[in-house]
Amino acid sequence: MAYSDKVIDHYEHPRNVGALDKEDAAVGTGLVGAPACGDVMKLQIKVSAEGIIEDAKFKTFGCGSAIASSSLVTEWVKGKTLDEAATIKNTDIAHELALPPVKIHCSVLAEDAIKAAIADYKKKSGKDDSAAAE
Amino acid sequence: MTAIGSKTTPTLSRPPGAPVYLDYQATTPCDPRVVEAMLPWFTEKFGNPHSRNHRYGWEAEEAVEKAREQIADIIAADSKEIIFTSGATESNNLALKGVAHFYKEKKDHIITVVTEHKCVLDTCRHLEQEGFSVTYLPVKADGLIDLGELEAAITDRTVIVSVMAVNNEIGVIQPLAEIGALCRRKGAFFHTDCAQAVGKIPLDVNAMNIDLMSISGHKFYGPKGIGALYVRRRPRIRLVPMINGGGQERGMRSGTLPTPLCVGIGEACAIAKAEMAEESERLKGLQHRLLGGLRQRLPEIYVNGDLENRIPGNLNISFAFVEGEGLMMGVKDLAVSSGSACTSASLEPSYVLRALGVDVEMAHTSLRFGLGRFTTSEDIEFAIDHIVEAVEHLRSMSPLWDMHLEGVDLKSIKWAEH
């Protein structure tokens, strides 16, 4: 199967690989997927006092499309408010990376990772309005 | 042209920028000596080998009969017992359906193994739908069948036992002679899919009591589109043909024989027979170096399938905490295949690895390396460096590797399976 140029670019030059201190109250961590399914994404966001995502990091176990999807969303969430970040849809990710149908689940996982990271941040900071949590 | 059996096996040059080919279980390039032998049979010697009334036909017939002898020779059979087919898929279909249909009034039970190639398993499923009963034997953790379980499964209704000689994913060699002796004693025919075995390991249809054997040309440096089925004559095995027509191949497989392809597979057999021992030794050295080089530099890697009872041209390794398809993308200068099957619509990892009891997590992290006639030690050194670099890079960005380093038991985590 041939990968799109954008998938290859993110795979070969992943953006924002790394980890943030998960004990930091300003950091939300989302860990989604399962080793048995062949992909696990860990997405972390660091939220400023103003509620802006000022940093994002990821680590992913998965195929090229899973790595590219998580790399892409770290770029997209930076500078966004939590509400704005929560509006990122898997279809946007799949479209941007030109994912084939068999790889759509990678974009779904990336969307889940954002939502999980936001929910974790809200829970830790006591701002859990349960709207974004799932 | 390099002579057969000479110490100087021809080399194949790789186009600039092309990846190093380490997928010899998928297919092999034609040996240049095979191509050379085939060429005249496309052009000036184009006759129909079934034309009985002129020289064009006679010389073509002579060529296919020589090829038939070359095939028979490498498995210690008689050339009259060799039927040309389009490849191992057709041979497996013909062996199983042909035998099952011919003997269906007396016997209706088939035994095969869960790790067989899809073309055997799918044929068996098809026969089940027709009313035959099929036993799918499990394999042990090393990939080999348990002879006691096979013996227990054979009944007086069992018409045929089909066990592959060498597995295409993990390269393990089943105990053919023992299986053959058992089948003979219990009165069941023994069919073996030797697509991955011919030219790789010594085969002897009589010593091993093999009744039917499937052979594929392109797995051992012959052309694609040609294979053979060995069908024992004493005692005689009968088949209902799948393809009807002019009655070629003793009525078991009609259709004009493709002379150049027949010549090609014959030549491939002759070369393999002459060079197998030496080639096998050389590949064993490369296999040993590849595994040793990887183990020396990478922790947490595991060989899938038995290492001793294995062809030297295969290694199947799980690189824990790195997903196989992602890794294949990382080793883009190598042509390999993965058991992760992440590209398949089902997203299920290899059924062969699962049958060995390999965890589904570990099955997702496997790569298959196929080494062959044109693999050089430079290729292997390059592969080791490339794989180590890619695995280290991907582990550095794997959340599972971090958890492993922190001492987290991945099995203790409640994952959200999707």
Side-chain angles (χ1 to χ4, degrees):
Chain A
M1 186 185 65
Y3 294 93
S4 71
D5 290 344
K6 281 183 178 161
V7 168
I8 293 170
D9 181 46
H10 276 280
Y11 178 87
E12 291 185 346
H13 311 286
R15 280 55 139 185
N16 308 305
V17 175
L20 300 169
D21 178 8
K22 62 174 182 271
E23 306 305 329
D24 185 342
V27 170
T29 301
L31 182 67
V32 297
C37 302
D39 33 33
V40 175
M41 284 180 194
K42 187 177 83 166
L43 180 71
Q44 294 186 298
I45 52 172
K46 186 169 189 183
V47 185
S48 72
E50 293 74 37
I52 304 290
I53 299 173
E54 56 187 18
D55 200 4
K57 296 280 182 197
F58 85 95
K59 286 208 173 188
T60 290
F61 162 85
C63 64
S65 302
I67 288 170
S69 296
S70 30
S71 170
L72 177 68
V73 297
T74 58
E75 279 193 322
W76 277 2
V77 298
K78 274 203 215 179
K80 284 195 165 67
T81 65
L82 293 178
D83 288 345
E84 285 167 350
T87 64
I88 294 172
K89 289 277 169 287
N90 80 286
T91 45
D92 304 332
I93 301 163
H95 180 75
E96 173 69 14
L97 296 174
L99 298 181
V102 71
K103 293 297 182 188
I104 296 301
H105 71 279
C106 297
S107 63
V108 174
L109 206 59
E111 182 189 322
D112 290 350
I114 303 172
K115 295 213 161 96
I118 293 173
D120 182 62
Y121 167 75
K122 288 189 172 174
K123 199 169 133 200
K124 279 165 71 178
S125 60
K127 290 173 188 160
D128 189 356
D129 55 11
S130 78
E134 51 180 330
Chain B
M1 182 175 178
T2 313
I4 292 175
S6 73
K7 296 282 178 190
T8 50
T9 298
T11 54
L12 276 190
S13 62
R14 194 165 54 243
V20 169
Y21 189 76
L22 291 178
D23 203 10
Y24 276 83
Q25 275 82 58
T27 191
T28 62
C30 266
D31 190 299
R33 293 168 289 182
V34 167
V35 178
E36 193 148 343
M38 288 169 67
L39 285 175
W41 303 96
F42 284 105
T43 48
E44 71 264 31
K45 299 180 178 182
F46 61 87
N48 184 327
H50 313 293
S51 295
R52 289 287 162 82
N53 32 12
H54 50 65
R55 199 180 109 186
Y56 294 94
W58 300 330
E59 65 184 7
E61 185 188 25
E62 202 175 303
V64 301
E65 292 314 314
K66 179 185 166 200
R68 206 187 294 280
E69 277 167 27
Q70 289 168 316
I71 298 170
D73 204 31
I74 200 172
I75 60 171
D78 186 289
S79 65
K80 293 192 193 71
E81 300 174 304
I82 303 296
I83 292 172
F84 285 106
T85 66
S86 62
T89 292
E90 185 189 332
S91 298
N92 286 332
N93 269 266
L94 178 56
L96 291 166
K97 289 177 185 166
V99 164
H101 290 156
F102 192 90
Y103 297 94
K104 69 180 174 194
E105 303 305 330
K106 289 183 188 139
K107 295 182 170 191
D108 57 2
H109 178 228
I110 297 159
I111 297 173
T112 188
V113 183
V114 290
T115 51
E116 291 292 310
H117 192 274
K118 281 273 162 70
C119 66
V120 166
L121 295 176
D122 195 47
T123 299
C124 286
R125 291 278 179 225
H126 190 83
L127 289 166
E128 274 185 285
Q129 284 171 0
E130 290 181 24
F132 292 92
S133 71
V134 180
T135 299
Y136 299 90
L137 291 175
V139 292
K140 299 176 287 183
D142 57 11
L144 303 176
I145 63 164
D146 182 311
L147 290 166
E149 286 190 60
L150 171 60
E151 178 160 20
I154 302 176
T155 71
D156 55 5
R157 305 289 298 173
T158 307
V159 60
I160 191 166
V161 172
S162 182
V163 180
M164 73 198 322
V166 172
N167 183 270
N168 49 305
E169 288 192 33
I170 54 177
V172 298
I173 305 167
Q174 298 287 355
L176 297 183
E178 288 84 346
I179 296 168
L182 188 54
C183 292
R184 184 61 55 91
R185 183 156 58 79
K186 299 276 249 173
F189 296 138
F190 176 31
H191 166 249
T192 177
D193 174 2
C194 281
Q196 300 285 353
V198 172
K200 320 291 167 61
I201 57 171
L203 294 165
D204 183 323
V205 291
N206 293 315
M208 293 170 163
N209 288 304
I210 293 165
D211 296 310
L212 299 114
M213 181 195 290
S214 300
I215 300 169
S216 168
H218 74 101
K219 303 293 191 187
F220 61 106
Y221 316 99
K224 293 167 183 65
I226 186 85
L229 180 65
Y230 159 79
V231 185
R232 178 172 289 284
R233 272 159 66 90
R234 291 196 188 83
R236 188 176 176 201
I237 314 283
R238 310 284 300 271
L239 299 176
V240 174
M242 293 197 303
I243 298 177
N244 302 104
Q248 292 91 346
E249 302 302 277
R250 295 194 288 130
M252 287 189 264
R253 206 278 192 179
S254 289
T256 297
L257 287 175
T259 314
L261 300 181
C262 297
V263 168
I265 190 175
E267 186 73 6
C269 284
I271 295 169
K273 183 158 190 279
E275 301 180 359
M276 189 179 345
E278 198 184 326
E279 183 165 282
S280 186
E281 273 312 301
R282 193 183 74 86
L283 290 177
K284 193 169 277 183
L286 294 181
Q287 179 200 47
H288 188 77
R289 172 60 194 143
L290 177 57
L291 181 58
L294 293 174
R295 274 184 170 158
Q296 197 179 9
R297 290 164 64 185
L298 290 173
E300 298 293 330
I301 69 171
Y302 303 93
V303 175
N304 296 307
D306 194 85
L307 202 49
E308 294 307 312
N309 296 298
R310 179 189 292 254
I311 55 164
N314 171 279
L315 268 181
N316 187 307
I317 300 177
S318 283
F319 298 87
F321 317 113
V322 176
E323 198 276 329
E325 195 196 333
L327 180 53
M328 274 205 297
M329 205 171 159
V331 292
K332 65 177 195 298
D333 294 322
L334 302 179
V336 295
S337 77
S338 168
S340 87
C342 206
T343 43
S344 76
S346 69
L347 300 178
E348 289 294 320
S350 154
Y351 68 94
V352 171
L353 297 185
R354 297 289 292 130
L356 306 191
V358 174
D359 281 346
V360 65
E361 292 86 340
M362 289 300 277
H364 275 296
T365 71
S366 73
L367 287 191
R368 178 183 73 180
F369 302 98
L371 287 50
R373 184 169 294 165
F374 305 104
T375 308
T376 64
S377 56
E378 290 76 25
D379 291 341
I380 296 300
E381 295 308 318
F382 174 78
I384 293 168
D385 288 341
H386 199 24
I387 295 159
V388 168
E389 194 183 332
V391 169
E392 285 177 345
H393 169 65
L394 289 168
R395 279 181 175 169
S396 78
M397 54 192 287
S398 165
L400 304 181
W401 178 246
D402 285 350
M403 293 161 99
H404 168 72
L405 293 181
E406 289 162 18
V408 177
D409 177 11
L410 295 178
K411 297 222 179 290
S412 70
I413 294 179
K414 196 172 177 302
W415 299 100
E417 308 242 344
H418 51 286

